[in-house]
Amino acid sequence: QQQVKQSPQSLIVQKGGISIINCAYENTAFDYFPWYQQFPGKGPALLIAIRPDVSEKKEGRFTISFNKSAKQFSLHIMDSQPGDSATYFCAASIGDQKLVFGQGTRLTINP
Amino acid sequence: DAGVTQSPTHLIKTRGQQVTLRCSPISGHKSVSWYQQVLGQGPQFIFQYYEKEERGRGNFPDRFSARQFPNYSSELNVNALLLGDSALYLCASSQIGYAGEQYFGPGTRLTVT
């Protein structure tokens, strides 16, 4: 019940396209859902996060869509750029407790 | 403001040895969490500390231990190293009450030979 399942494992998108990464969870006690971006050799960087009382949050080219009834959330990257090429992790937590991470998606943006 | 700092950056140890990793949180943050990230996987929670008290522990053996100091910095100790302990060890800094917002350091890459 503590798992967060992420898909796809890898994704290739053309420059200017939309990148979409999906996550699903089981534990309905989760109340915070962040996305992290990680470049090789670096620590994960907090990108954007959502709480279950809203269905969508947008920050620049990054949007989280949240479906509480389906227990799913997704990251959309609009106008994807080569600099967005990185590994993306979804995560979930209960309050300020530990983060439970998905398995990661390696995103490649082709120029 | 400085972010989360970790030392050392890289470390090579032999099986059976002991290692100590260090972390300094963002100024004003009183909670530190440790995660292990094996290559190609998401980070796995090891410990969370707040105000020098252990607040949570993940599914790791007793060879793993940690502590937090009065200045909120933290150390992670791993005894009797195994080859499988080779990973990136990440420290995350947060403010209790700011649900879930954890900020990660660059990590320490531990290689066990």
Side-chain angles (χ1 to χ4, degrees), chain A residues 37-45 89, chain B residues 6 37 88 90 104-107 109:
Chain A
Q37 178 189 56
Q38 187 175 30
F39 292 104
K42 305 292 184 183
F89 292 95
Chain B
Q6 292 187 243
Q37 186 177 24
L88 181 67
L90 295 162
F104 285 84
R109 172 69 63 187

Side-chain angles (χ1 to χ4, degrees), chain B residues 21-26 28-34 47-56 65-77 91-96:
Chain B
L21 312 180
R22 295 175 177 83
C23 169
S24 291
I26 293 169
H29 286 191
K30 299 181 178 180
S31 180
V32 167
S33 299
W34 288 95
F47 287 109
Q48 184 183 43
Y49 275 78
Y50 173 65
E51 293 278 16
K52 298 177 289 181
E53 297 290 327
E54 183 183 299
R55 209 164 173 264
S65 64
R67 55 179 176 168
Q68 187 178 31
F69 299 98
N71 66 353
Y72 305 112
S73 66
S74 177
E75 285 183 352
L76 175 70
N77 294 283
C91 173
S93 161
S94 61
Q95 300 183 65
I96 295 298

Side-chain angles (χ1 to χ4, degrees), chain A residues 9 31-32 34 36 38 41-46 51 89 93 95-104, chain B residues 35 37 40-45 48 55 88 90 95-107:
Chain A
Q9 203 169 4
D31 60 2
Y32 178 74
Y36 284 85
Q38 187 175 30
K42 305 292 184 183
L46 180 61
R51 304 189 195 285
F89 292 95
S93 70
D96 51 18
Q97 298 177 35
K98 67 178 182 181
L99 288 167
V100 178
F101 283 85
Q103 299 91 327
Chain B
Y35 292 81
Q37 186 177 24
Q41 296 182 21
Q44 296 291 317
F45 173 74
Q48 184 183 43
R55 209 164 173 264
L88 181 67
L90 295 162
Q95 300 183 65
I96 295 298
Y98 287 75
E101 287 185 16
Q102 297 191 20
Y103 298 90
F104 285 84

